[in-house]
Amino acid sequence: MKKHLNSRRDFIKQTSIGIAATGILSKWYPFASKITSSASEKVQFGFITDLHHGLCKGAIDRLQIFLDEASSKSLDFIMQGGDFCFSEPAAQECVDLWNTYAGEKYHVLGNHDMDKGSKEDIMKLWGMKEKYYSFDKGDFHFVILDGNYIKKDGEYVDYGHANFYIDQEKRSLFSPEQIEWLKQDLAGTEKQTVIISHQALDEIWDGWSSPSRFEIREVIDEANNNFEFQKVIACFCGHHHVDEHSIINDVHYFQMNSASYYWAGKGFGSDGPMAMYTKPLYAFITISPDGKIKIEGKKGDFVSPSPKEKGHPDAPRLSASISSVDTRFEHK
């Protein structure tokens, strides 16, 4: 996982406390009068994103492998980060398999989940009650956002039936109502917060991140500046099918790789435009209130011929992996 530091303060902090180059989640604890390191308050969860059932061959097998390993662990929950499946009858096998997991399960809406139906259709299929929401686990607060809006005639419109293939500046948006909700949600929690969205909020890939990222980051910065301790500590996304890490105003931004493939484009993929991964990619993440973070990521290879073998211009930035890390974050 490549790391990008976006401030001198970030660089000093990372080098001084020895954070590994692939560190996932930098934890602070806002508001709280006392921090304990009780093991019962740590959070452990499984994360998989961009499975693309209905598009990728073997998606069910990839999901099964993830769920089998998740079921063998003592996790607080599992989460899929979007682009999970279409809202069509053939996707029922994917949803049914997901629901065999006995523990808590959470969904994030992705753009391609609305390729063949409305946002309401996919939410009904998944049993998802809200487009965006939040919940607490242990010492941490989790916020799930929905970046699947387009701007049409001055209005914010839900993705649906693949209506999002328009100019970049008019899609991958977060609605004003949602941004206001985020302000209120962050103001109402006394816990350190992790934000998860499908689309990126960082600056890693030019032209790819959500045009609303500046508004979201303004809310994050405001929350962090108004409290004694940093409230928002990390943001996770999928969508881009890469393994990257950046730091902006002391907040960690992680792009989590697809479970299945990288969209290499015509002439560059091992399966049409898709550069498939030999193994399913996913991660198990542990966040501890005493400042310990452990990420167990999965590594594979590209199915040959790889993007590098085919001369893809971005090949040096691509990998069939999610990096593992064992690191620390600053806490009170």
Side-chain angles (χ1 to χ4, degrees), residues 8-36:
R8 178 176 176 273
R9 181 181 175 190
D10 294 328
F11 177 78
I12 293 172
K13 179 182 293 184
Q14 298 303 304
T15 55
S16 63
I17 64 176
I19 291 182
T22 57
I24 260 184
L25 286 184
S26 162
K27 288 301 154 196
W28 301 65
Y29 199 84
F31 253 140
S33 59
K34 181 173 70 174
I35 295 178
T36 66

Side-chain angles (χ1 to χ4, degrees), residues 18-174:
I19 291 182
T22 57
I24 260 184
L25 286 184
S26 162
K27 288 301 154 196
W28 301 65
Y29 199 84
F31 253 140
S33 59
K34 181 173 70 174
I35 295 178
T36 66
S37 58
S38 169
S40 64
E41 295 177 337
K42 68 183 178 181
V43 176
Q44 297 176 295
F45 63 99
F47 188 86
I48 188 169
T49 189
D50 296 87
L51 180 71
H52 286 277
H53 177 275
L55 177 67
C56 289
K57 300 172 184 176
I60 283 290
D61 295 334
R62 291 173 187 268
L63 181 59
Q64 183 70 70
I65 291 170
F66 167 69
L67 293 174
D68 286 345
E69 188 166 358
S71 297
S72 72
K73 298 177 179 289
S74 297
L75 302 176
D76 290 290
F77 61 89
I78 61 171
M79 180 174 293
Q80 67 85 8
D83 286 0
F84 189 59
C85 65
F86 301 130
S87 55
E88 60 181 358
Q92 191 63 53
E93 64 171 359
C94 186
V95 178
D96 288 346
L97 178 57
W98 176 260
N99 288 334
T100 62
Y101 182 74
E104 292 185 26
K105 303 170 283 291
Y106 295 95
H107 292 283
V108 181
L109 288 165
N111 56 305
H112 289 297
D113 299 315
M114 280 79 79
D115 271 351
K116 298 185 178 182
S118 69
K119 193 175 288 184
E120 289 72 20
D121 289 337
I122 198 67
M123 290 174 65
K124 182 178 180 180
L125 179 63
W126 293 349
M128 188 179 182
K129 296 181 180 179
E130 303 290 344
K131 301 173 186 177
Y132 48 90
Y133 58 96
S134 63
F135 62 92
D136 291 340
K137 279 296 171 186
D139 279 349
F140 303 97
H141 184 64
F142 292 84
V143 173
I144 311 305
L145 295 181
D146 173 18
N148 300 288
Y149 291 84
I150 64 171
K151 198 167 186 180
K152 184 177 181 180
D153 299 326
E155 300 291 330
Y156 287 78
V157 179
D158 279 324
Y159 278 14
H161 301 278
N163 64 348
F164 53 88
Y165 291 101
I166 59 177
D167 292 342
Q168 176 64 28
E169 66 270 15
K170 296 180 181 179
R171 61 177 177 171
S172 296
L173 300 174
F174 297 84

